Amino acid sequence: MSSFDLLLFSLSRVLCSPIAVFFQIQGCMICLTLALGWACASYVRNREIKQMKDCMKNGNSFSFLSHDINELEHSYQLNLPRVTVIMPLKGFGEHNLHNWRSQITSLYGGPIEFLFVVESTEDPAYHAVSRLISEFEDHVDAKVVVAGLSTTCSQKIHNQLVGVETMHKDSKYVLFLDDDVRLHPGSIGALTREMEKNPEIFIQTGYPLDLPSGSLGSYCIYEYHMPCSMGFATGGKTFFLWGGCMMMHADDFRQDRYGVVSGLKDGGYSDDMTLAAISGAHKRLITSPPVAVFPHPLASDLNFGRYWNYLRKQTFVLESYTTNVNWIMNRALFTTHCYLSWGFVAPYFMAMIHVAAALRFYNKEFFPEEITYNSGGLLLVTILAICTLVELLSMWNLTRIEVQLCNMLSPEAPQLSLASYNWCLVFIAMLVDNFLYPVSAFRSHFSQSINWSGIRYYLKDGKISKIERTQRSKDMGPVFTDLGGKHLYGKKGMPTRGSFLSSLSRSLAQWHQPKKFDN
């Protein structure tokens, strides 16, 4: 018998010890807990689908806009409150044009304005969105706002606050959207309706449904977002907040209630983490309506490096905080997430050892009598395999229901499909993402700095203390953002022929010709 066989069987026996068995059973429990959470989220989303179908059976063919057809009457629409939609932009990518179109062509019946906020006119997004606005200038109230450079907070927060300063004086609600949000025709109306029904709501939010492009990096993004989707599929009150979609009372910013403006402006790095902390400190209500789920197509060339950069940004937000209580909560999230991530991955490494030991044992014709094999390892492997299958089925079911809901909420758009999802890659992404999360979290903790869209931020005591912008060398290749594959830089004062025009033409073509996940 080789030394490798001896080592393999020794490890297999060790992994049958009570402590090892505990960790393997714990991994199974994590799988089943995720499966249960996704099942509950599926119930909430599916309930909305059934309500929409019932409305259609009762003659309301516009149930994707409102369950109550009387709310679509002209007399009702005239009394809707004014809404300002603020979209901080950075760079221009393949899906941006379609996303912006979905935002400005909303079927909200009340007065509404759209503010696209960019850092400078050198940003490729400035020229792209300017052209789009010129197409709709007679139909929508939209304009581009140049915010300038941030000095005390992240560039995204700076753009948002400049947008707030520019918004119409009569706006009752302000809706912050990321440029990768693809709205449904009735999304703004649905969010506003909930705000009107319950004035106690502090923030309304939603969550994206990732559409992987086929690369492992895109599936890692999808897998990373799926556990968080449970907290946004409550159909009501939630403790979670996604910065890609946040509707708030405009007066909260005008009057700096609860310190929303000062809290963001004074060293704020993450808009959603800062506002969630303020909400918790003042016991304010955050809700997420069941219809607030938005298709989020990932870049077709989203490579593993850009996924890693995105993960670094996500773990870095736990290093920012506003109060001591917020710091304690972030440390608890940091510790819990790291423990559960490696607690999820470890049983699969143990299962590989059990399977390898079993194969070596049954494939050998002769073994010394003193060598014994504990078949209990295969039992643990079988239990883990069953739990994994249940977990994947639950994830598939939630994705299926959300795809169906998105199709019903946007009946005019190319229909989404599950056909392009590769579930083998989903499983691999689960292992890769959960293995890398603690690595990224520890690196973020010890570095206290991050490069976000070409700008490096340094934190001190949970707030931004230093911002570095290095002059981009002419010899450098194009720089992209993490998920959208967006060009971040263009020629000064005009779009670059090689980046902007080609990206614009590709986006137009992709808008008219659906990608594989739209078939």
Side-chain angles (χ1 to χ4, degrees):
M1 173 177 285
S2 67
S3 57
F4 172 77
D5 289 329
L6 287 172
L7 176 62
L8 193 61
F9 289 118
S10 298
L11 287 174
S12 182
R13 284 196 297 271
V14 170
L15 295 179
C16 289
S17 65
I19 295 179
V21 170
F22 166 78
F23 284 108
Q24 292 173 78
I25 296 298
Q26 176 186 258
C28 294
M29 295 304 297
I30 293 174
C31 289
L32 294 178
T33 301
L34 288 170
L36 178 61
W38 286 323
C40 294
S42 300
Y43 171 78
V44 172
R45 303 291 193 195
N46 196 46
R47 185 176 58 190
E48 181 64 24
I49 291 175
K50 290 180 178 179
Q51 289 180 354
M52 291 178 64
K53 288 181 177 179
D54 289 341
C55 290
M56 294 173 68
K57 289 179 181 178
N58 293 329
N60 182 7
S61 57
F62 295 99
S63 59
F64 65 95
L65 296 178
S66 174
H67 293 324
D68 185 358
I69 197 169
N70 293 323
E71 293 182 353
L72 302 180
E73 294 287 343
H74 181 65
S75 57
Y76 181 89
Q77 300 278 308
L78 285 175
N79 296 319
L80 289 175
R82 174 177 285 274
V83 176
T84 295
V85 183
I86 297 176
M87 290 149 287
L89 307 182
K90 180 71 173 180
F92 180 68
E94 61 181 300
H95 298 297
N96 284 140
L97 199 61
H98 192 167
N99 297 339
W100 297 337
R101 282 181 183 273
S102 74
Q103 293 168 1
I104 66 175
T105 56
S106 168
L107 296 183
Y108 180 67
I112 186 170
E113 66 173 342
F114 299 90
L115 304 179
F116 295 88
V117 189
V118 297
E119 173 186 305
S120 70
T121 56
E122 298 178 29
D123 193 317
Y126 174 83
H127 307 282
V129 78
S130 296
R131 289 194 175 190
L132 179 64
I133 291 175
S134 66
E135 296 179 22
F136 294 89
E137 60 182 351
D138 296 329
H139 306 284
V140 298
D141 180 7
K143 63 181 178 180
V144 184
V145 178
V146 179
L149 302 179
S150 63
T151 57
T152 62
C153 58
S154 69
Q155 187 65 45
K156 178 185 177 182
I157 290 177
H158 176 70
N159 287 11
Q160 290 173 325
L161 294 179
V162 170
V164 166
E165 294 172 359
T166 312
M167 69 179 173
H168 195 282
K169 62 182 179 60
D170 295 328
S171 288
K172 186 175 182 180
Y173 302 113
V174 56
L175 174 61
F176 299 104
L177 294 175
D178 281 355
D179 59 4
D180 56 359
V181 173
R182 185 169 295 181
L183 286 185
H184 306 293
S187 293
I188 297 178
L191 293 170
T192 306
R193 193 179 307 116
E194 294 298 320
M195 297 289 280
E196 288 288 282
K197 287 180 180 178
N198 186 0
E200 294 300 315
I201 294 176
F202 179 53
I203 308 175
Q204 269 205 108
T205 188
Y207 205 62
L209 167 62
D210 289 326
L211 304 171
S213 58
S215 65
L216 178 59
S218 67
Y219 278 100
C220 286
I221 297 293
Y222 164 75
E223 190 282 328
Y224 176 82
H225 284 158
M226 281 304 289
C228 301
S229 65
M230 302 174 196
F232 292 88
T234 61
K237 182 179 179 180
T238 181
F239 298 101
F240 296 86
L241 182 60
W242 178 51
C245 174
M246 301 184 298
M247 176 172 275
M248 302 179 65
H249 295 270
D251 282 344
D252 286 349
F253 286 90
R254 294 190 182 102
Q255 302 173 20
D256 193 18
R257 287 180 185 149
Y258 317 112
V260 292
V261 174
S262 54
L264 290 168
K265 194 172 185 178
D266 182 19
Y269 167 75
S270 171
D271 53 340
D272 48 14
M273 291 290 284
T274 301
L275 290 173
I278 292 173
S279 175
H282 296 274
K283 295 180 172 54
R284 306 307 299 164
L285 179 62
I286 300 175
T287 64
S288 181
V291 295
V293 54
F294 311 106
H296 180 214
L298 299 173
S300 57
D301 58 348
L302 198 158
N303 57 32
F304 198 78
R306 292 221 297 276
Y307 152 71
W308 171 251
N309 289 335
Y310 176 77
L311 185 62
R312 284 273 290 113
K313 286 198 322 184
Q314 295 303 301
T315 56
F316 190 74
V317 298
L318 294 180
E319 301 303 315
S320 64
Y321 55 90
T322 56
T323 63
N324 290 334
V325 173
N326 189 209
W327 178 84
I328 293 172
M329 291 182 64
N330 285 0
R331 292 302 93 201
L333 283 172
F334 176 97
T335 305
T336 302
H337 201 155
C338 288
Y339 177 82
L340 293 178
S341 289
W342 276 351
F344 175 83
V345 174
Y348 291 97
F349 286 101
M350 296 178 183
M352 290 174 58
I353 294 173
H354 285 310
V355 171
L359 291 175
R360 294 290 290 178
F361 180 80
Y362 291 113
N363 287 338
K364 288 285 186 178
E365 296 181 357
F366 172 77
F367 269 95
E369 293 182 358
E370 64 273 12
I371 296 298
T372 59
Y373 173 70
N374 190 340
S375 59
L378 285 182
L379 177 61
L380 292 171
V381 172
T382 303
I383 296 173
L384 179 62
I386 294 173
C387 293
T388 302
L389 181 61
V390 172
E391 178 191 19
L392 287 173
L393 284 173
S394 184
M395 182 190 292
W396 167 83
N397 186 54
L398 175 58
T399 306
R400 176 186 65 84
I401 290 174
E402 289 188 337
V403 163
Q404 184 181 359
L405 179 57
C406 286
N407 287 335
M408 293 184 68
L409 291 171
S410 294
E412 85 298 340
Q415 297 293 280
L416 308 179
S417 171
L418 279 177
S420 63
Y421 282 75
N422 185 326
W423 294 97
C424 290
L425 274 180
V426 170
F427 173 69
I428 295 173
M430 289 167 60
L431 298 179
V432 172
D433 182 64
N434 282 284
F435 175 77
L436 289 178
Y437 183 90
V439 178
S440 175
F442 279 104
R443 180 175 177 183
S444 297
H445 178 69
F446 289 107
S447 67
Q448 291 295 298
S449 68
I450 191 72
N451 187 314
W452 185 4
S453 297
I455 306 172
R456 180 162 292 278
Y457 298 101
Y458 294 85
L459 293 185
K460 183 178 181 181
D461 297 328
K463 296 183 178 181
I464 290 177
S465 61
K466 181 181 178 183
I467 301 175
E468 283 185 356
R469 292 179 174 87
T470 56
Q471 186 67 31
R472 181 171 173 255
S473 170
K474 295 181 179 180
D475 298 329
M476 290 176 59
V479 179
F480 304 94
T481 55
D482 305 320
L483 302 186
K486 298 183 295 183
H487 290 263
L488 296 181
Y489 303 100
K491 287 183 180 179
K492 188 172 183 178
M494 63 175 292
T496 58
R497 184 176 299 274
S499 60
F500 166 67
L501 292 180
S502 60
S503 295
L504 183 61
S505 62
R506 283 198 302 271
S507 295
L508 283 169
Q510 288 161 357
W511 190 74
H512 290 293
Q513 298 179 356
K515 296 178 70 63
K516 59 183 179 181
F517 48 74
D518 292 333
N519 294 330

